[in-house]
Amino acid sequence: GQQVMQIPQYQHVQEGEDFTTYCNSSTTLSNIQWYKQRPGGHPVFLIQLVKSGEVKKQKRLTFQFGEAKKNSSLHITATQTTDVGTYFCAGPGFGNEKLTFGTGTRLTIIP
Amino acid sequence: SAVISQKPSRDICQRGTSLTIQCQVDSQVTMMFWYRQQPGQSLTLIATANQGSEATYESGFVIDKFPISRPNLTFSTLTVSNMSPEDSSIYLCSVGQRIEAFFGQGTRLTVV
């Protein structure tokens, strides 16, 4: 079945440093979605990317979708304490409504 | 968007008992999804619930252990049956997978 891996599993950064998480799917995705889960919370949607090679920005967050639509990345510039949480990528396969979630990257910030 | 009310938010249960989790959506949806999230882990899909038909279970999950009801387009329940400590997890219902998934607040289950 479809597998979605993320690296790193954990990332500890000083406040103000940058952060990147990488997502790789074993199969081609129709789109890639990113979610943030705060400690004790539920996943919250951040963004969806659909086109091959697409890049989207949300303030300090930059999202990329790979050319082959099998990988993606999330980059946060100048992290803040509010960025703490676990970031998941997720994607449905083609012709499939179900989301497969990545393994997640847990970000902690050192003030 | 969709707002999902999930309850209970948490429970502590004795092994061998069952717990039913309820999810109410503020709009009609075709499919509802049930996930399990074990401590420190990612989300694993348990099953997809369609109104008027039996739920579709993912590999490793069976109806006898996780029976699901979907009586109408806004409501679903997941039962965790004959619980053991290994069932201690967060259980989440979700709707709207293709573009943006919305989640209930989750049910934090501890089996003792």
Side-chain angles (χ1 to χ4, degrees), chain A residues 17 26 35 54 56 64 68 72 94 98-100:
Chain A
E17 291 183 339
S26 60
Y35 292 81
E54 188 171 13
K56 286 188 177 180
Q64 290 188 318
S72 181
F94 282 95
K98 300 179 295 184
L99 277 180
T100 299

Side-chain angles (χ1 to χ4, degrees), chain B residues 15-44:
Chain B
R15 68 176 65 202
T17 63
S18 299
L19 175 71
T20 296
I21 302 167
Q22 299 180 1
C23 271
Q24 178 76 50
V25 190
D26 68 344
S27 58
Q28 293 184 340
V29 294
T30 305
M31 289 187 280
M32 293 181 71
F33 303 86
W34 287 96
Y35 286 87
R36 181 175 72 183
Q37 187 175 29
Q38 295 178 305
Q41 302 297 312
S42 183
L43 285 76
T44 301

Side-chain angles (χ1 to χ4, degrees), chain B residues 27-91:
Chain B
S27 58
Q28 293 184 340
V29 294
T30 305
M31 289 187 280
M32 293 181 71
F33 303 86
W34 287 96
Y35 286 87
R36 181 175 72 183
Q37 187 175 29
Q38 295 178 305
Q41 302 297 312
S42 183
L43 285 76
T44 301
L45 183 64
I46 297 171
T48 303
N50 294 308
Q51 194 267 336
S53 63
E54 279 202 3
T56 302
Y57 289 83
E58 297 300 305
S59 176
F61 298 97
V62 295
I63 187 171
D64 290 347
K65 177 66 175 178
F66 298 101
I68 288 172
S69 78
R70 184 80 202 276
N72 57 54
L73 290 173
T74 63
F75 187 79
S76 179
T77 67
L78 170 75
T79 299
V80 186
S81 303
N82 188 25
M83 288 183 285
S84 66
E86 292 70 35
D87 294 320
S88 297
S89 288
I90 298 171
Y91 293 85

Side-chain angles (χ1 to χ4, degrees), chain A residues 30-31 33 35 37 40 42-43 45 48 88 93 95-99 101-103, chain B residues 31 33 35 37 41-43 45 48 58 92 97-101 103-105 108:
Chain A
S30 61
N31 68 77
Q33 300 169 28
Y35 292 81
Q37 185 175 27
H42 61 280
F45 175 81
Q48 181 200 43
F88 292 100
N96 190 343
E97 287 289 332
K98 300 179 295 184
L99 277 180
F101 278 79
T103 48
Chain B
M31 289 187 280
F33 303 86
Y35 286 87
Q37 187 175 29
Q41 302 297 312
S42 183
L43 285 76
L45 183 64
T48 303
E58 297 300 305
L92 295 143
Q97 301 273 296
R98 176 149 292 278
I99 298 175
E100 173 182 351
F103 289 88
Q105 298 294 322
R108 185 178 296 269

